[in-house]
Amino acid sequence: MPGMNVEQQPRVDNPGQSEPFVRGLSEAIGGPLGEHAAPGGRNGPNGVRFWTATRIVLALACLTLALHWVQKSPCRDGAWDNHVQYTRFCYTDVLALYYAEGLNEGKVPYRDHPVEYPVVTGYFMGALGLPVHSYGLQNPNVNQGMLFYDVNALVLCALAVATAGVILALRRRRPWDAALFAVAPALFVTATVNWDFLAIGFAALGLYAWARRQPVLAGVLLGLGAAAKLWPLFIFGPLLILGLRAGKVRPVLVAFGTGAATWVAVNAPVFLLWRDSWNRFFELNTERPVDWGTFWYVGRYLDGKLDPILPGNKGVFQWFSDNVDPALNWTTYVLFALCCLGVAYLIMSAPRRPRLGQVIFLVVAAFLIFNKVWSQQFVLWLLPLAVLARPRWGAFLAWQAAEVLYFVAFYGELLGASGKQVFPEGVFVLAASLRLITVAVLCWFVVREILHPEEDAVRATYEDDPDGGELDGAPDAPWVAARFGRRGALPVPALAGVGATAGPTGFPIDGSSGYLADEDLVHDSLVDGNPAVGSPVAGSPVDNGSVDGGPVDGSAVDGGPVDRGPADDKAAGTDSGGR
């Protein structure tokens, strides 16, 4: 608070001190802030600095999304002659499906046309598309497709900024972690390729509500997210296992129950009135062949380079590709289930209960790695989860570099499929392999930090799990302690290799500078002007950045719809870039 001196203020992470990659980059401009450096100047109202970390991160997110809109602008008019949507890297389902789903003709989703997406996405398409069509009828000179894309882009980008705000709210002591999301190249190239930020926004807000210890609201938001794209449903599994280990199953069941009720409520109208249209999403998931760039696509390519081992001169992956239903479908389900069982065992056997963000990332990443479909925009699912799971710049940027390489190679492959060969297929397979490998490496790093919590950067700043809500700070259940030899909650680990020590509040310090500035603590205050929980003003020890275990107000997943393959694209007039 404004009256607090440095000795009273809790620490905030300074990546120039705690993050080796950032510290190395800072050498180009003179190195990290020194031990005796004075704080930055105060040039705002009442002597408070305007450009706080929160505002800088939100501004960076807005800049990235504005540049994304510019990058997509060559496709906004819908005049996609000479494959301009591929040569300019600007294809977007949002514009293509305005016509493919009959919105330009005033067709009501599900009633007049079987939409290939879960119902919340279909509702959203109709809620924006039908008024645009009506406006276009009254104003014939308006380009309906362009207007539809622009309105959708505005809403989706607002949800992306809200997601950055949620990360900031969950990581008040580590505000620069959210910069990973704000400047991510994958956000720049794929933000509005499809409607994925509907599910991401609901899921992020649901995690925030859970961290605030509001399981009913969390369930409603996660249920809406799962009704937009199914992957937010995966969040409930890790929550349940974490709740079992902590002996706090009841709030998890409350969240799951309200989530299920919400999902049923929003699906019921379409299910009851237009059952065939409602089934279309599930039918398409079942029928969909191996998609470009997936694990199965890479394997099928390698089959062609090796001697066949199955009758009929077929390799294993080629056989699965020829037997999608049920062989490939059930194989992907089994592999994902095995990964989930492995994550469950990891949660129970780890020396300290893993953080929620870590295990959600592992589950969603496993789904994408072994799924038969991985559309280019599915990377957006992992972006906020990767930041919450492991906010380390080096490995994150290596993964993002692989995603950009894949993005470029994917459009080259689309051109090749359209009759304009750019490079051999092996180049695309290499790019797809690098993407898979970097995601797998990120999973390995997360698993290592779960097994060695002293290496977890977040736990060098927080006492336990800032995302955990009811689970935050809870000791292990007695039966878990007896089965795995645990003795309740373990002490807060210090970050290995950084030399963390205890600050004046008993809070682990991982550098020589970075106390929370007065204006940052103002943002940690409760609504109605109460002092921030855990501050010396409130008369209690510094907490883990939450109210009752959840973040304080003050800051701003799926079987997924499946992508059509190239053959379907020709029939539908769209490409496989964004299902």
Side-chain angles (χ1 to χ4, degrees):
M1 303 300 290
M4 297 169 59
N5 56 39
V6 170
E7 286 72 18
Q8 292 175 308
Q9 296 174 2
R11 296 282 297 186
V12 63
D13 178 72
N14 181 352
Q17 295 286 349
S18 64
E19 173 59 53
F21 181 83
V22 177
R23 187 167 64 244
L25 287 181
S26 70
E27 296 296 338
I29 56 173
L33 196 67
E35 181 178 356
H36 302 291
R42 317 270 191 206
N43 53 14
N46 302 318
V48 176
R49 185 173 68 247
F50 178 80
W51 283 111
T52 61
T54 296
R55 288 170 176 161
I56 291 173
V57 169
L58 292 176
L60 287 173
C62 291
L63 176 61
T64 300
L65 294 164
L67 292 175
H68 166 80
W69 183 86
V70 172
Q71 192 269 323
K72 294 297 181 187
S73 61
C75 286
R76 290 172 55 241
D77 61 3
W80 295 356
D81 298 326
N82 299 317
H83 307 296
V84 66
Q85 71 273 31
Y86 304 148
T87 58
R88 301 288 186 90
F89 306 99
C90 61
Y91 172 83
T92 168
D93 278 336
V94 174
L95 182 57
L97 295 183
Y98 179 70
Y99 300 98
E101 300 289 352
L103 294 169
N104 66 311
E105 300 173 8
K107 291 184 179 179
V108 177
Y110 305 109
R111 189 193 73 180
D112 302 326
H113 190 274
V115 179
E116 63 190 76
Y117 297 112
V119 296
V120 167
T121 299
Y123 294 159
F124 183 79
M125 293 166 61
L128 297 186
L130 297 178
V132 165
H133 169 67
S134 178
Y135 181 79
L137 292 179
Q138 299 173 17
N139 300 271
N141 294 329
V142 170
N143 185 323
Q144 294 184 31
M146 179 184 293
L147 179 59
F148 180 70
Y149 171 77
D150 287 344
V151 173
N152 275 271
L154 183 63
V155 176
L156 295 173
C157 288
L159 289 170
V161 174
T163 302
V166 168
I167 298 172
L168 286 163
L170 294 174
R171 295 289 185 275
R172 277 192 185 80
R173 295 180 186 172
R174 303 183 57 86
W176 294 110
D177 290 356
L180 288 163
F181 175 85
V183 302
L187 180 66
F188 165 66
V189 297
T190 61
T192 63
V193 168
N194 200 280
W195 290 275
D196 290 71
F197 261 115
L198 275 177
I200 295 169
F202 281 126
L205 292 171
L207 289 175
Y208 179 67
W210 174 261
R212 290 289 310 274
R213 304 194 179 195
Q214 298 181 23
V216 173
L217 179 59
V220 170
L221 292 167
L222 292 175
L224 289 172
K229 297 210 170 178
L230 287 183
W231 73 263
L233 184 64
F234 300 156
I235 295 175
F236 290 109
L239 262 181
L240 177 60
I241 307 302
L242 290 169
L244 285 171
R245 175 161 177 172
K248 289 182 174 291
V249 177
R250 184 177 180 277
V252 178
L253 294 180
V254 169
F256 179 78
T258 54
T262 300
W263 187 89
V264 170
V266 297
N267 276 272
V270 176
F271 179 83
L272 295 174
L273 296 175
W274 307 295
R275 179 76 59 85
D276 291 341
S277 293
W278 185 84
N279 284 334
R280 179 57 182 154
F281 166 72
F282 299 97
E283 293 171 351
L284 194 59
N285 274 277
T286 301
E287 300 166 357
R288 181 65 188 270
V290 170
D291 194 24
W292 292 0
T294 61
F295 168 77
W296 305 98
Y297 181 96
V298 173
R300 188 176 63 188
Y301 174 84
L302 295 177
D303 275 348
K305 303 298 180 182
L306 304 173
D307 293 332
I309 61 174
L310 295 178
N313 292 325
K314 290 184 179 181
V316 174
F317 289 91
Q318 184 61 54
W319 183 85
F320 276 118
S321 183
D322 293 340
N323 295 272
V324 171
D325 188 33
L328 177 58
N329 289 336
W330 279 101
T331 300
T332 60
Y333 302 155
V334 169
L335 289 173
F336 178 53
L338 290 174
C339 290
C340 290
L341 289 175
V343 172
Y345 180 79
L346 182 66
I347 292 173
M348 287 297 187
S349 62
R352 188 172 184 189
R353 188 175 61 251
R355 293 185 293 104
L356 178 59
Q358 291 175 314
V359 289
I360 294 175
F361 173 81
L362 291 177
V363 169
V364 176
F367 174 81
L368 289 176
I369 288 173
F370 291 112
N371 196 27
K372 64 178 181 178
V373 177
W374 190 337
S375 299
Q376 57 171 314
Q377 80 280 359
F378 286 4
V379 63
L380 295 173
W381 306 354
L382 289 178
L383 270 183
L385 299 179
V387 174
L388 296 177
R390 189 177 189 274
R392 295 288 202 175
W393 285 80
F396 183 90
L397 291 180
W399 166 48
Q400 288 298 290
E403 290 288 353
V404 172
L405 178 62
Y406 176 80
F407 175 81
V408 174
F410 177 70
Y411 277 91
E413 191 71 2
L414 287 173
L415 280 170
S418 302
K420 294 187 176 183
Q421 190 71 33
V422 178
F423 43 66
E425 186 182 12
V427 174
F428 173 67
V429 171
L430 175 61
S433 300
L434 288 175
R435 178 181 64 170
L436 289 164
I437 290 169
T438 51
V439 172
V441 168
L442 276 178
C443 291
W444 180 81
F445 277 129
V446 171
V447 171
R448 188 182 70 174
E449 292 178 0
I450 290 175
L451 296 175
H452 301 278
E454 70 277 3
E455 298 181 5
D456 184 358
V458 175
R459 281 201 162 120
T461 315
Y462 287 91
E463 293 177 1
D464 188 25
D465 182 4
D467 315 327
E470 296 281 354
L471 311 177
D472 184 27
D476 288 341
W479 70 271
V480 176
R483 172 65 179 83
F484 294 98
R486 309 291 175 225
R487 294 183 179 178
L490 299 181
V492 179
L495 187 60
V498 180
T501 58
T505 61
F507 181 79
I509 297 176
D510 57 2
S512 59
S513 63
Y515 287 97
L516 281 172
D518 293 344
E519 63 271 24
D520 292 317
L521 289 177
V522 170
H523 293 302
D524 274 351
S525 298
L526 292 173
V527 180
D528 301 328
N530 295 324
V533 170
S535 70
V537 176
S540 60
V542 175
D543 77 344
N544 62 352
S546 63
V547 179
D548 295 330
V552 184
D553 284 334
S555 292
V557 243
D558 109 60
V562 261
D563 295 24
R564 288 189 287 261
D568 298 307
D569 298 330
K570 293 177 181 178
T574 61
D575 72 88
S576 65
R579 297 295 169 281

